[in-house]
Amino acid sequence: MRLRRSPILQKAFTLVEALIAVGLIGIFFVALYAGMTQGFGILANAREDLRANQILLDKMEEMRLYSWDQITSYGTANSFVPTNFTEEFYPTGTNPAQSTFSAGRNNGNTNTFRYHGTIVVTNVPFTNAYSTNMRKVMVALSWTNGGKIYRHDMSTYVSEYGLQKHIY
């Protein structure tokens, strides 16, 4: 009787194949981690930009509530409009006790970081009959994140016979 032998089928991976697979998996995990890190960074920057726009809009709305005399007193000894201001940002809570923001983003303060702003009231840059009854208000905001300085600004015109006459 003759036995028929079939060739032995090898079903294992070689060492080279296993090393290539491990290398590819490592590259995929590094790419996944880098993508997640970048995504969270973009989200944090968007949150900071949104807060900056909120602050700028708040200061512009504040200007609408000032009377014409208060606006034109800018730069004098009894100025009502502040020239500089500071606003804080609590990224993970509503107050410093709830915030867990990482250190280093606000000069060592672990709870918040600050937006620094300036308000400038000037004459309007045009010469019309009504230009003496208008002022240009510019609000500028800056903050530091990761060693990089960011800036936003906003400007508007205020009229002597504008919204204030309807409120007061």
Side-chain angles (χ1 to χ4, degrees), residues 84-87 106-107 114-118 140-144:
N84 297 312
F85 63 92
T86 302
E87 292 283 337
N106 185 28
N107 302 329
R114 290 179 176 83
Y115 293 93
H116 301 282
T118 59
L141 200 62
S142 66
W143 70 98
T144 303

Side-chain angles (χ1 to χ4, degrees), residues 12-155:
F13 294 107
T14 64
L15 182 60
V16 173
E17 292 172 330
L19 289 176
I20 290 174
V22 168
L24 286 175
I25 290 172
I27 290 171
F28 291 146
F29 277 116
V30 168
L32 177 67
Y33 178 73
M36 289 175 55
T37 302
Q38 187 175 12
F40 285 125
I42 290 170
L43 183 64
N45 286 340
R47 186 184 307 165
E48 293 167 11
D49 283 346
L50 179 62
R51 178 63 179 137
N53 287 333
Q54 288 174 339
I55 293 168
L56 288 172
L57 184 61
D58 179 54
K59 294 302 176 184
M60 285 296 167
E61 293 295 325
E62 225 175 84
M63 293 306 294
R64 294 173 147 225
L65 298 176
Y66 293 151
S67 69
W68 181 249
D69 293 332
Q70 291 170 331
I71 289 174
T72 54
S73 71
Y74 178 83
T76 63
N78 57 354
S79 177
F80 191 81
V81 178
T83 57
N84 297 312
F85 63 92
T86 302
E87 292 283 337
E88 294 184 345
F89 180 44
Y90 309 109
T92 59
T94 56
N95 61 47
Q98 294 176 344
S99 182
T100 58
F101 198 52
S102 63
R105 295 181 77 163
N106 185 28
N107 302 329
N109 188 341
T110 58
N111 292 328
T112 67
F113 71 95
R114 290 179 176 83
Y115 293 93
H116 301 282
T118 59
I119 299 175
V120 177
V121 180
T122 61
N123 292 329
V124 292
F126 47 84
T127 56
N128 291 347
Y130 53 84
S131 63
T132 57
N133 298 339
M134 292 184 73
R135 296 291 184 270
K136 182 177 183 179
V137 178
M138 296 172 288
V139 180
L141 200 62
S142 66
W143 70 98
T144 303
N145 179 353
K148 186 175 178 185
I149 297 174
Y150 294 89
R151 289 185 174 86
H152 282 252
D153 57 26
M154 192 178 283
S155 63

